[in-house]
Amino acid sequence: MEAKLAQFSTLSQKDKGPAYISLIPQILAQPPETIAKDLHTLVDTVVNQDAGGLVVGRQVLSELVKVLGEGAIKDVELRKRVVEDTLATVQPRIVNSLRFQLADLLEEEEDWSGAARVLMGISLDSGQRSISDAEKLRVYVRIVRLLLEDEDSVQAETYYNRAALLVHSTTDRETILQFKLCQARISDYSRKFLEAASRYHELSYVGEIDEDERRHMLMAAVTCAVLAPAGPNRSRVLASLYRDERSADLPTYNILSKMFLDHILRSAEIKEFEKSLKPHQLAKIAISSNDRLASAGNDTGDADPNVSTRTGPSTVLDRAVMEHNLLASSKLYNNITFRGLGALLDLTPGAAETMARKMIEQGRLRGTIDQVDKLIWFETNREEDDAQGKAGGLGDVEEAEDTGAPFTKRWDAQIRLTAAHVESIVQHLTEKNLVTVAVEAK
C-alpha cells in the first residue's frame, strides 16, 4: 500500500484523484483484518499529508462515503470502526455524510445518546458549506428525539428551542409531525401535563401516523391529563378525551371516567394506573419549607393514632390524585372539617388545609376557609347548577329558601314536586270513588 501511494504522489494533479480512488475497491476486496488499516493509510495520505491537495482529498472522501453508504462493507462492526477512524483522521474536514452514517449505526444499536452526540458534532453553521434551514431543522429534531429516548430532557430542550426557531422554514409534513411530537414530549418531561395532553390528543387524529402510534399518543394524552393539576382547565381536557369514542378501549379508561365524573379515586385504582407510568412521571416532589411549616402550625396537638402523619404528596401522581379528590369532595359536600379532609386525602389536617388554600389561591377551587372553626366551605357555580337541574327534568322550579346549598335546594324541589303529584293522583282517585278518605270520629 505504501509503495502504491508513493508512486501515485508523483502523478500530475489531474491524475491523482482517479488513481487514489482506484485503490478503494482494491482495499475493500482484501481480508477484513487489513481493510481498516489500509483505508486509514489512504485517508491520512490524501487529507493530512497534502498528497493531492484539497480537491483530491474531497474527491477521495466523497467516493469513500458513497461506497460505504452503498453497503460495500457488510460487517457492521467493521463498517462502524472504519467510519469512526475516518472521522478522527480528517479532523476539521469532517464529512457530514459520515456522521449521519455513524448515527444510523448507533441508532440501530439503540445507543441513543451516542447517536445524538455524533449528530451534535456536525458543523451546521460552517461557512464552507451552505446548509439550508430546513436541513438544520431535521438534524435538530432528530437530536431531540434521540435525547428523549435516553431520558435526557434537559439537553433535549436546548436543541428543541433551536428547532423551534426554524420550524417555519419547512413544509415537509414528516418533519413537522416529528417536531410536534417532540413538542408534546418536551412538555411531558417538563411536567406541563395539560399542554402535553392537548398536543398528544391533537396528534392522535393525524391520519399519516400509524394506527398503533396514534393509539399510543391517545393513551399518553389520557395519562398526562390525569397527572395535570386539578381545576377547570384540566376538566376541559378530560371532557374532550372522555367524549373521544376511542378512549373506551384504553386500559386507563376507568380512571379517566372517574376523574371526568368527579368520583373519589381509591388506592387500588391508583396503584393499577401507576404501573403504566414512565420514570419521569413517577418523579419525587419536595415539599417547600413554607408549606411544611404551615402544615405543622395548623395541626392540633392531640396524638390521635388514626390521624395521618403525611404532610404533603410525595410524587407527581400523588399530588394529582389528592387535588382531584379534594375537588371531587367539593361536589359532594357543602363544607368539611380539616380533619375530615385530611382523612379523605391521607394527610394531616394542617396539610389538607394548606392544599385547599393553595388551590383556592390559584383559582382551581371555589371556596372559603374558616380557620377558627377549622372548616372549608365549598362554593358552586350557580349557573352550572341551574343548568344541571333543568337538564335533569325539573324545568323551572319556584325559587326555594336560600340555604347556601344548591344540591339541597334541588332535593327539596324534587320532594315538593313529588308530593304535589301524589296529592293530585289521590284527588283524582277520590273523585272516581276508587278510594275512600277515612273521617276521624268526633
Side-chain angles (χ1 to χ4, degrees):
M1 174 60 63
E2 286 78 5
K4 289 184 178 180
L5 292 174
Q7 179 184 352
F8 291 161
S9 65
T10 62
L11 297 175
S12 63
Q13 190 70 13
K14 67 176 182 178
D15 295 330
K16 284 183 179 180
Y20 286 126
I21 291 175
S22 67
L23 290 176
I24 295 177
Q26 297 178 27
I27 295 173
L28 295 178
Q30 296 179 139
E33 58 270 14
T34 61
I35 290 178
K37 177 182 177 182
D38 287 349
L39 283 178
H40 171 80
T41 303
L42 173 62
V43 172
D44 184 59
T45 299
V46 299
V47 173
N48 295 329
Q49 297 181 22
D50 201 21
L54 183 61
V55 175
V56 173
R58 284 182 175 178
Q59 290 177 350
V60 175
L61 286 175
S62 297
E63 181 64 22
L64 179 59
V65 170
K66 177 184 174 183
V67 171
L68 292 176
E70 292 173 350
I73 300 179
K74 303 300 182 183
D75 188 338
V76 176
E77 287 298 323
L78 176 59
R79 183 183 169 199
K80 185 168 68 173
R81 189 163 72 250
V82 168
V83 171
E84 289 175 339
D85 183 69
T86 303
L87 284 172
T89 303
V90 297
Q91 294 297 338
R93 305 179 189 181
I94 294 175
V95 180
N96 289 346
S97 299
L98 284 176
R99 285 196 172 273
F100 283 121
Q101 286 190 37
L102 181 56
D104 292 339
L105 292 170
L106 293 173
E107 189 172 351
E108 288 176 3
E109 297 176 353
E110 298 187 358
D111 184 1
W112 315 118
S113 59
R117 284 195 299 271
V118 169
L119 293 176
M120 290 175 194
I122 295 177
S123 180
L124 297 177
D125 298 320
S126 174
Q128 298 179 354
R129 179 182 174 219
S130 178
I131 302 176
S132 66
D133 288 344
E135 188 175 349
K136 292 180 183 179
L137 175 63
R138 284 193 292 272
V139 175
Y140 287 145
V141 168
R142 186 176 179 186
I143 291 174
V144 173
R145 180 174 57 81
L146 291 169
L147 290 173
L148 288 176
E149 289 292 338
D150 209 35
E151 302 280 336
D152 188 356
S153 60
V154 176
Q155 196 167 12
E157 189 167 2
T158 300
Y159 282 88
Y160 164 76
N161 292 333
R162 297 183 186 179
L165 298 175
L166 302 173
V167 70
H168 65 280
S169 64
T170 185
T171 57
D172 182 63
R173 183 67 173 167
E174 182 179 354
T175 303
I176 293 174
L177 288 177
Q178 288 180 350
F179 174 78
K180 288 185 175 180
L181 178 57
C182 291
Q183 198 173 35
R185 295 182 66 185
I186 286 290
S187 298
D188 187 353
Y189 278 92
S190 302
R191 299 182 190 174
K192 300 175 182 177
F193 292 119
L194 272 181
E195 182 179 333
S198 298
R199 297 190 186 283
Y200 278 132
H201 196 201
E202 177 187 351
L203 288 170
S204 71
Y205 284 112
V206 178
E208 294 97 324
I209 300 176
D210 183 73
E211 184 176 354
D212 290 338
E213 286 295 322
R214 282 189 280 131
R215 185 177 186 274
H216 178 75
M217 290 176 188
L218 180 62
M219 191 156 65
V222 172
T223 299
C224 289
V226 170
L227 295 175
N233 292 333
R234 190 192 67 163
S235 297
R236 284 190 286 271
V237 175
L238 288 173
S240 177
L241 290 168
Y242 181 77
R243 295 185 182 115
D244 191 328
E245 58 184 13
R246 301 172 299 167
S247 299
D249 298 328
L250 299 178
T252 53
Y253 179 73
N254 179 52
I255 194 167
L256 169 64
S257 61
K258 287 203 167 188
M259 279 201 160
F260 171 71
L261 298 172
D262 291 323
H263 292 175
I264 299 292
L265 295 174
R266 304 301 177 185
S267 58
E269 299 165 338
I270 300 306
K271 289 180 180 178
E272 184 66 25
F273 174 74
E274 189 175 6
K275 297 177 183 178
S276 65
L277 298 183
K278 296 180 180 179
H280 72 275
Q281 295 169 336
L282 293 171
K284 300 288 185 180
I285 58 176
I287 305 174
S288 68
S289 57
N290 290 338
D291 288 348
R292 188 178 292 108
L293 289 173
S295 300
N298 292 335
D299 287 335
T300 56
D302 56 342
D304 188 347
N306 297 322
V307 176
S308 174
T309 58
R310 297 181 65 192
T311 58
S314 57
T315 65
V316 174
L317 175 62
D318 205 14
R319 180 176 59 191
V321 171
M322 287 182 181
E323 290 183 350
H324 166 77
N325 284 344
L326 174 52
L327 196 62
S329 66
S330 71
K331 309 292 184 181
L332 299 176
Y333 305 109
N334 296 326
N335 57 62
I336 191 170
T337 63
F338 294 174
R339 183 181 292 271
L341 183 60
L344 179 65
L345 304 181
D346 189 21
L347 292 174
T348 63
E353 186 268 339
T354 299
M355 177 172 285
R357 172 179 53 79
K358 292 180 67 175
M359 290 182 66
I360 292 173
E361 289 174 351
Q362 296 167 359
R364 296 188 287 129
L365 177 67
R366 295 170 59 88
T368 57
I369 297 177
D370 185 342
Q371 292 185 324
V372 176
D373 293 332
K374 298 190 180 299
L375 281 174
I376 301 175
W377 289 87
F378 299 118
E379 299 175 5
T380 309
N381 190 319
R382 186 177 301 276
E383 294 180 0
E384 179 183 348
D385 290 328
D386 291 344
Q388 290 176 353
K390 293 178 183 179
L394 292 178
D396 293 323
V397 296
E398 183 179 354
E399 186 69 24
E401 179 185 358
D402 186 6
T403 62
F407 290 97
T408 303
K409 289 193 293 183
R410 290 210 302 270
W411 178 253
D412 291 344
Q414 288 180 17
I415 292 176
R416 288 199 302 273
L417 188 61
T418 302
H421 287 164
V422 171
E423 184 177 354
S424 177
I425 292 171
V426 171
Q427 184 178 359
H428 182 70
L429 293 176
T430 301
E431 291 175 353
K432 297 292 185 180
N433 295 321
L434 295 177
V435 296
T436 58
V437 179
V439 180
E440 183 179 355
K442 295 183 180 179

